[in-house]
């Protein structure tokens, strides 16, 4: 049922599980390893990388489905790209997800206040007090982004790019569907959700960003489309 794990996939799986168990034992890790808006007093530069190894502590399905997707689709891509290039691809997709999500948050702040950093210098306690009054700008500074989903959408995009005609079948879809249509449909749904439900807690824009940067990287590397 599961493909044989390749070296990078195996290590990514282990790291994600270690981070998940560790963050359950040390909850304060969420304050330091998830990623905040860059002008937030809680933002640290390493969060740009570490956030993609953190998952929702109250919802185990978050890490389960991300790792399930990684294990199911990742090995074939790593075999094609090679381990080193696949690791770069995974990280760039995850960083791209953060970049797009943050850029759109910044644009929304600018449209609302005329500044990309309207609460610069405001302390964490002051932000919490403002958020309790319903201040949306304070919420943007306080709500972190986390999860491998952005990188996973890069992996999904790469699978559809490299293996477009492989039939996929999921429990809730009773007939096989070619990868290019099923994964393309997933990405279109994420685009629609990001436009129609901008306040949703799920970072749909991050998913789109992961797929977008994954696609751009494949084109930059001149990886041939649909040859498998």
């Amino acid at each position: 049922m599961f493909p044989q794990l390749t070296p990078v996939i195996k290590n990514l799986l282990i790291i994600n599980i270690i981070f998940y168990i560790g963050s359950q034992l040390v909850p304060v890790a969420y304050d330091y390893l998830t990623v905040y808006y860059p002008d937030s007093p809680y933002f640290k530069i390493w969060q740009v990388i570490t956030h993609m190894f953190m998952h929702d502590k109250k919802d185990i399905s978050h890490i389960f489905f991300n790792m399930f997707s990684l294990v199911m689709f990742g090995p074939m891509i790593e075999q094609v790209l090679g381990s080193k290039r696949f690791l770069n691809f995974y990280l760039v997709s995850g960083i791209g997800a953060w970049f797009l999500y943050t850029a759109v948050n910044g644009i929304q702040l600018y449209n609302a206040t005329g500044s990309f950093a309207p609460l610069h210098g405001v302390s964490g306690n002051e932000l919490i007090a403002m958020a309790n009054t319903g201040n949306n700008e304070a919420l943007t500074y306080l709500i972190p982004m986390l999860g491998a989903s952005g990188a996973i959408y890069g992996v999904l995009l790469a699978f559809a790019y490299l293996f477009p005609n492989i039939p996929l079948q999921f429990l809730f879809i009773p007939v096989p569907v070619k990868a290019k249509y099923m994964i393309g449909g997933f990405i279109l749904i994420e685009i629609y959700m990001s436009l129609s439900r901008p306040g949703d807690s799920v970072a749909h824009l991050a998913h789109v960003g992961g797929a977008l940067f994954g696609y751009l990287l494949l084109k930059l590397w001149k990886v041939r489309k649909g040859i498998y």
Side-chain angles (χ1 to χ4, degrees):
M1 178 180 178
F2 292 100
Q4 185 174 1
L5 296 184
T6 45
V8 172
I9 297 298
K10 185 186 301 180
N11 283 305
L12 287 173
L13 180 63
I14 292 171
I15 293 171
N16 274 277
I17 292 173
I18 289 174
F19 267 64
Y20 184 74
I21 295 174
S23 58
Q24 298 295 313
L25 298 174
V26 187
V28 72
Y30 283 92
D31 295 338
Y32 293 96
L33 301 181
T34 58
V35 64
Y36 289 85
Y37 185 69
D39 194 46
S40 169
Y42 298 110
F43 175 78
K44 307 296 179 186
I45 189 63
W46 62 76
Q47 296 170 350
V48 175
I49 298 294
T50 58
H51 82 276
M52 64 181 82
F53 299 103
M54 298 292 288
H55 288 86
D56 192 331
K57 58 186 174 184
K58 297 180 180 177
D59 183 4
I60 196 171
S61 68
H62 190 207
I63 186 172
F64 174 80
F65 284 111
N66 276 343
M67 294 303 99
F68 179 78
S69 299
L70 179 66
V71 168
M72 291 300 294
F73 297 103
M76 291 176 67
I77 302 168
E78 185 178 343
Q79 288 172 359
V80 173
L81 297 182
S83 293
K84 182 178 179 181
R85 202 151 66 152
F86 175 78
L87 178 59
N88 290 330
F89 177 85
Y90 184 88
L91 294 176
V92 168
S93 295
I95 294 172
W98 164 79
F99 177 80
L100 182 62
Y101 179 74
T102 300
V104 172
N105 272 339
I107 291 170
Q108 289 176 337
L109 286 174
Y110 185 85
N111 288 338
T113 68
S115 172
F116 290 106
L119 301 178
H120 183 71
V122 177
S123 72
N125 288 335
E126 290 172 321
L127 287 173
I128 293 172
M130 294 171 68
N132 287 334
T133 67
N135 185 294
N136 289 328
E137 289 75 37
L139 288 172
T140 300
Y141 274 58
L142 288 173
I143 298 176
M145 173 183 152
L146 73 164
S149 304
I152 294 299
Y153 264 80
V155 170
L156 293 175
L157 184 284
F159 191 89
Y161 185 96
L162 293 169
F163 311 104
N165 296 314
I166 286 184
L168 301 176
Q169 186 168 5
F170 290 96
L171 290 176
F172 53 88
I173 300 178
V175 296
V177 179
K178 290 183 178 180
K180 59 185 177 184
Y181 298 129
M182 181 173 288
I183 294 174
F186 288 162
I187 294 173
L188 288 176
I189 289 172
E190 292 298 327
I191 294 173
Y192 172 77
M193 296 290 280
S194 65
L195 295 174
S196 63
R197 300 171 61 184
D200 197 310
S201 61
V202 179
H204 297 290
L205 277 171
H207 301 166
V208 176
L212 174 63
F213 276 76
Y215 177 77
L216 293 176
L217 196 54
L218 291 173
K219 300 301 287 185
L220 180 66
W221 285 341
K222 301 185 187 305
V223 176
R224 290 181 59 191
K225 182 179 180 182
I227 58 175
Y228 300 95

